[in-house]
Amino acid sequence: MPSHVAGAPILCVVGARPNFMKIAPVMRAMRGANPPLPVRLLHTGQHYDREMNGQYFQALGISEPDINLEVGSGSHAVQTAEIIRRFEPVLDREQPAAVLVVGDVNSTLACALVAVKKGVAVIHVEAGLRSFDRAMPEEINRVLTDQISDLLFITEKSARENLLREGIPESRIHFVGNVMIDTLRYSLKEAVPAAQTLIRYGTSAEWGQKGFAVLTLHRPSNVDDPGSLRVVLDTIREVSHRLPVAFAVHPRTRARIEQHGLGPVLEAQSILCVPPLGYLEMLGLMQAARLVLTDSGGIQEETTALGIPCITLRENTERPITVEQGTNTMVGSNPAHILAAVEEILRNGGKAGRVPELWDGQASQRIAAVLRKWLDRAAEQLVA
């Protein structure tokens, strides 16, 4: 370990909204440790939209970042390269004990790459998840980040098997549970009631009284090709004939809908399109929903923790435990499969599922305990 480790802070990196939910409890646990663990927060600015960004910081109780790279959008190559370019001088200046990255976005891999080449330890929270689909940019980010990490914190036991198969030493792997669920449990009491959110965006008091579905959609496989997007939206319109649908529209998805003239497909009284929601609003909606349709990884986990049936509009998942033990059903983008899954839930209530091992709201405390031992060991080695 580098000589500057003792007393130096751990530099936590966030870049996109899913990162915020993962980093909030980790930083809370580190600052609440006895004695507190030194920590600083860096935001790459990968998600820079105030509407999708600032509201998450506020809802999750995250203080403003100590450093903001303000990278903004771009292709995967441009964005990754720009993060690397801007992060390197920050790392030289900060001299952290380690760089802690979460999840699988471009910021995760870019900052991990800079750190490892500078001889700074890399800590990966939510390591070892695999969809086994190399066409997904996130899969590349996951695999490469894990290969260069010194400490790997996993959410489920299948992740350990993935990492061992890829040659990661077992001594680096720590099964701690799911920090996303830490945030969910911490925030439940503050969740905005669904009726309040629905009325805020223009529905009548009667809308969804007999149940409603929540939809999120943003994966390139679903939204980038106009034909695929049309099929999904036509199917959602069919679903809305059976159950009203509240659609939280990602800015990228909204742009594709407008670009391809697909807005009229969603012009139905039983479809409510709303802008990106704050975490507490989205949590309240999911908690009250009959079912959730999504292509998001994090929502697969949150619905399992909430016991809400989830229909995932993807052919694969890097979170298999949500299918094996939770409430998640994979249907891909086949309209018949989507509609059949909806009917099954409306008829029989869907999969009951159970909450997976260590998804108990204490994952961040386990991470902080491991980090304390790691930092103490580094200090001892310096003295020796």
Side-chain angles (χ1 to χ4, degrees):
M1 296 180 184
S3 59
H4 65 265
V5 164
I10 291 175
L11 185 59
C12 294
V13 173
V14 293
R17 285 180 326 288
N19 293 169
F20 306 158
M21 281 93 84
K22 295 164 191 173
I23 211 68
V26 173
M27 293 190 66
R28 214 166 22 242
M30 291 171 70
R31 287 173 171 161
N34 188 19
L37 293 167
V39 59
R40 282 169 65 76
L41 180 64
L42 179 142
H43 185 10
T44 66
Q46 180 178 330
H47 274 182
Y48 59 93
D49 190 306
R50 173 71 192 178
E51 186 178 32
M52 301 188 70
N53 192 346
Q55 61 184 339
Y56 274 76
F57 275 81
Q58 184 177 0
L60 297 170
I62 305 175
S63 58
E64 285 296 311
D66 299 293
I67 306 153
N68 195 326
L69 302 185
E70 298 182 341
V71 167
S73 61
S75 70
H76 284 283
V78 167
Q79 194 173 65
T80 303
E82 190 62 19
I83 294 168
I84 288 172
R85 188 182 73 82
R86 297 191 188 194
F87 184 58
E88 183 176 31
V90 171
L91 197 63
D92 290 338
R93 184 178 71 244
E94 293 288 317
Q95 292 288 296
V99 169
L100 185 150
V101 296
V102 293
D104 54 20
V105 299
N106 289 338
S107 299
T108 303
L109 175 60
C111 292
L113 277 172
V114 175
V116 73
K117 291 194 173 190
K118 289 281 188 178
V120 177
V122 176
I123 301 161
H124 189 197
V125 173
E126 201 183 72
L129 298 179
R130 298 290 181 268
S131 67
F132 304 102
D133 179 3
R134 293 294 179 99
M136 289 179 64
E138 296 88 351
E139 183 79 351
I140 304 302
N141 292 343
R142 286 189 285 265
V143 171
L144 296 180
T145 301
D146 286 341
Q147 282 295 319
I148 56 177
S149 293
D150 297 84
L151 290 174
L152 300 98
F153 293 111
I154 62 173
T155 62
E156 56 179 271
K157 288 183 176 177
S158 69
R160 181 191 300 276
E161 297 166 12
N162 294 336
L163 293 171
L164 292 176
R165 187 169 54 247
E166 292 168 10
I168 305 297
E170 186 158 14
S171 60
R172 297 184 183 182
I173 304 168
H174 300 269
F175 176 36
V176 293
N178 194 329
V179 294
M180 283 276 283
I181 308 309
D182 291 12
T183 291
L184 184 146
R185 290 180 178 273
Y186 181 84
S187 305
L188 268 178
K189 61 184 180 297
E190 304 295 335
V192 177
Q196 184 177 321
T197 299
L198 295 173
I199 290 171
R200 175 186 174 189
Y201 289 106
T203 64
S204 66
E206 292 76 31
W207 194 96
Q209 273 192 343
K210 295 182 180 179
F212 62 90
V214 173
L215 169 68
T216 75
L217 200 64
H218 75 281
R219 295 278 175 187
S221 58
N222 281 326
V223 306
D224 280 4
D225 177 74
S228 299
L229 181 57
R230 177 69 192 240
V231 168
V232 172
L233 296 183
D234 281 341
T235 306
I236 295 305
R237 189 179 176 103
E238 284 294 311
V239 170
S240 75
H241 296 157
R242 296 286 285 115
L243 190 68
V245 177
F247 182 9
V249 190
H250 190 286
R252 191 163 167 276
T253 305
R254 184 178 297 279
R256 296 293 184 272
I257 290 171
E258 292 173 357
Q259 177 185 351
H260 302 304
L262 296 174
V265 179
L266 299 173
E267 291 174 0
Q269 196 170 17
S270 53
I271 299 176
L272 174 67
C273 291
V274 302
L277 297 174
Y279 179 71
L280 297 178
E281 289 178 305
M282 192 65 181
L283 184 54
L285 270 190
M286 288 194 297
Q287 200 176 8
R290 288 282 298 277
L291 61 92
V292 173
L293 300 116
T294 190
D295 56 10
S296 159
I299 288 178
Q300 295 171 46
E301 296 177 326
E302 290 167 332
T303 48
T304 278
L306 291 169
I308 303 297
C310 179
I311 299 172
T312 297
L313 311 177
R314 288 168 50 185
E315 301 295 339
N316 50 56
T317 179
E318 64 283 355
R319 293 163 168 86
I321 201 167
T322 63
V323 177
E324 295 159 5
Q325 298 183 21
T327 59
N328 188 17
T329 301
M330 308 292 298
V331 296
S333 56
N334 183 298
H337 294 168
I338 297 169
L339 295 171
V342 170
E343 287 300 324
E344 172 63 20
I345 291 167
L346 294 180
R347 188 168 55 248
N348 297 320
K351 295 166 70 173
R354 63 182 175 86
V355 177
E357 183 181 0
L358 297 189
W359 288 26
D360 57 1
Q362 301 297 312
S364 299
Q365 280 72 23
R366 297 184 191 101
I367 289 172
V370 173
L371 293 178
R372 165 61 63 201
K373 290 179 181 176
W374 182 83
L375 288 171
D376 288 348
R377 194 160 57 247
E380 289 169 5
Q381 289 176 358
L382 275 178
V383 172

